[in-house]
Amino acid sequence: SPPFPVPPFFLSGVNMSEVATQVFAGQKPGTSGLRKRVEEFMQDHYMENFIQCTLEAMGNDLPGSTLVVGGDGRYGVTLAVDKIIKMAAANKVSKLIVAKDGIMSTPAVSNVIRTQKTTGGIILTASHNPGGQNGGDFGIKFNCANGGPAPTDFTDKIYKLSCEIKSYRICNNLQCDFSKVGTTTFVVDGSHDFVVEVVDSLDDYVQMMKDIFDFGMIKDYLKSVKILVNSLHGVTGPYAERIFGSELGAPADSFLKTNILPDFGGGHPDPNLTYAADLVKAMSEGDYAFGAAFDGDGDRNMILGAKAFFVTPCDSLAVIANNLELIPYFQKNPVNGYARSMPTSAALDRVAQVKGKECFETPTGWKFFGNLLDAGRIALCGEESFGTGSDHIREKDGIWAALAWLQILAARKQSVEEVLKDHWATYGRNFFTRYDYENCESDPCQKMMDELQAFVDDSGNIGKVFTSQSGKSFEVSKADNFAYTDPIDNSITTKQGIRVFFSDGSRFVMRLSGTGSSGATVRLYVDTFEGDKEKQTKSAAEMLAPCIEVALQISKLPTYTG
């Protein structure tokens, strides 16, 4: 931000136009908005249709509203920001807080919505999906006044409107330069003012992190160890350099891929062992004590210890829960409970049981944590899909998770591996893995899910024994299709994934995911508990192999997907 107040500018002569359009099939938002291929989003009127329907879904809250707009820097963000500014003006939005150059991480948008008490915000991202003009994905999602993703009834409204839309409103002659911080007021149709405030989100986000963590302690810790942070050419690059570098003193060679690129450098901005392989290699070969990777829009994280010791997101969530009292924010704010998504392992549940806290199991999708957070029932939540967060905002937050780990390491004076081994010795270890089968043909996948539902419905399968080639047997103890009743508003969400439990504490979950942009994505989750300390340090591959084999036997996944 400039060191002096930027004077507001007043521009008149902006006119609203009503543009005729046609319905585009398939504009149904998933758990985190609408995600489609770039070429689909860039069709004439396609983006405008969805923006109009999103604004209209606000109903009576739309006229006079204040909204935040920001995105992850992928191809299409600047075009979408320009359209949103023009359309917000035409739809009688009072004020738009716009990220400079359109760049603002998803957690930072949530923070601005909450601190500025806005009506909501529009986030331009397809999260961990690839980007770029050729073959990349684009996405738009709406966050409500609490800073969290829109609930199902809101996204259903958007979809209903998208099936009926005949025209959209836009101020085509409105020109707004959002590359510079400052405030401009436009007079629309000579009748109402429309304010655009262009902001740089870094300062607010950095201050929030300083209010949560002890930066002094972490800075002292980083004097004695090396860290490596990989932003995968996503939005977190500037945030990571500022926080871990300028604020905490990590040298310049502590960063990988922190320059934002519209196609993420041709990579897949998903912070896992496959897509952050360069981080894994560097950690394996170097003398780094801690590593972290973040996804395209900054809400996901992967944590590594020395020599690329991998912390599963399930274990990461449980370890943070077990050590929350080491973080200053939670020393001041009471922690009543935790929550995890259904596919996430039960490692968190064991911490909750020992600490006497509530622990909730919710459907996949961060929006399901919102009511629990707003009601003060939980302070920490997370998903196996590399998402971790707390009640400081209403989104998962990758940089927050990395700082939480650094705070824990600095306070405990232990390595990542030592923290994990101590945790397993206390609570036992949940071995966990997930397989993603992407861009599968939809019909065979649906047939597979129908067959699994038939397996669930047949009570004769309880007690049935399945045996792996290694000779290990699994007896079915329970099977269901997960359903959730929200304890705050009593809303019911059904058919969230087939679960098959075994008598030894193992289980597998199978679900079709809504985060892809085309075809079907099948997700298989396998989870097994081990209380024997001698076996807790064995490889996950070895410990999970028999249960994975039985999961494939029961689901017939290879037969249906090839």
Side-chain angles (χ1 to χ4, degrees), residues 216-450:
M217 179 188 284
I218 298 173
K219 189 171 185 176
D220 285 343
Y221 171 71
L222 293 185
K223 290 175 182 175
S224 59
V225 300
K226 290 176 66 178
I227 67 170
L228 192 59
V229 173
N230 189 344
S231 291
L232 295 169
H233 294 304
V235 75
T236 62
Y239 297 84
E241 289 183 354
R242 169 83 176 272
I243 290 172
F244 299 105
S246 302
E247 300 287 345
L248 295 174
D253 61 0
S254 305
F255 303 98
L256 291 171
K257 297 182 177 177
T258 49
N259 55 320
I260 300 172
L261 296 175
D263 65 347
F264 305 113
H268 200 130
D270 198 351
N272 59 38
L273 294 170
T274 299
Y275 297 121
D278 52 349
L279 176 68
V280 176
K281 185 174 187 291
M283 292 288 294
S284 299
E285 297 172 353
D287 59 348
Y288 300 98
F290 175 85
F294 310 116
D295 74 334
D297 68 322
D299 61 358
R300 298 183 186 220
N301 73 94
M302 177 176 72
I303 304 297
L304 298 175
K307 300 304 172 189
F309 180 89
F310 174 60
V311 182
T312 70
C314 305
D315 277 340
S316 180
L317 178 64
V319 165
I320 294 172
N322 191 46
N323 292 278
L324 276 181
E325 69 278 2
L326 301 178
I327 299 171
Y329 174 87
F330 295 105
Q331 293 166 2
K332 303 170 195 167
N333 298 289
V335 177
N336 295 320
Y338 322 113
R340 62 172 175 85
S341 65
M342 176 273 288
T344 303
S345 85
L348 180 69
D349 305 47
R350 302 181 202 287
V351 176
Q353 187 175 15
V354 169
K355 291 187 174 287
K357 309 287 186 187
E358 284 190 294
C359 191
F360 298 90
E361 184 179 29
T362 69
T364 296
W366 204 259
K367 61 187 177 184
F368 291 103
F369 295 134
N371 280 352
L372 297 168
L373 289 163
D374 287 345
R377 297 283 286 274
I378 63 171
L380 177 74
C381 45
E383 300 174 322
E384 52 67 40
S385 54
F386 296 84
T388 326
S390 85
D391 58 0
H392 68 292
I393 54 171
R394 292 298 179 269
E395 286 280 3
K396 44 189 177 271
D397 190 344
I399 287 178
W400 175 91
L403 287 168
W405 264 95
L406 288 174
Q407 187 82 79
I408 291 165
L409 297 175
R412 291 179 62 120
K413 297 179 172 58
Q414 287 182 301
S415 70
V416 172
E417 187 170 350
E418 287 168 343
V419 169
L420 258 298
K421 287 180 176 176
D422 277 0
H423 188 89
W424 297 334
T426 303
Y427 294 102
R429 181 177 181 182
N430 280 79
F431 287 93
F432 176 88
T433 193
R434 161 179 146 184
Y435 288 86
D436 291 358
Y437 302 82
E438 297 176 335
N439 297 316
C440 300
E441 290 185 39
S442 296
D443 289 346
C445 290
Q446 190 56 56
K447 286 178 185 173
M448 177 182 69
M449 296 304 291
D450 292 343

Side-chain angles (χ1 to χ4, degrees), residues 5-24:
V6 177
F9 294 94
F10 294 86
L11 298 174
S12 58
V14 173
N15 305 112
M16 188 272 283
S17 304
E18 191 100 16
V19 180
T21 188
Q22 61 185 30
V23 168
F24 290 92

Side-chain angles (χ1 to χ4, degrees), residues 138 143 174-175 212 284 352 356 524:
F138 190 76
N143 279 32
L174 188 158
Q175 300 298 321
I212 294 171
S284 299
L524 168 64

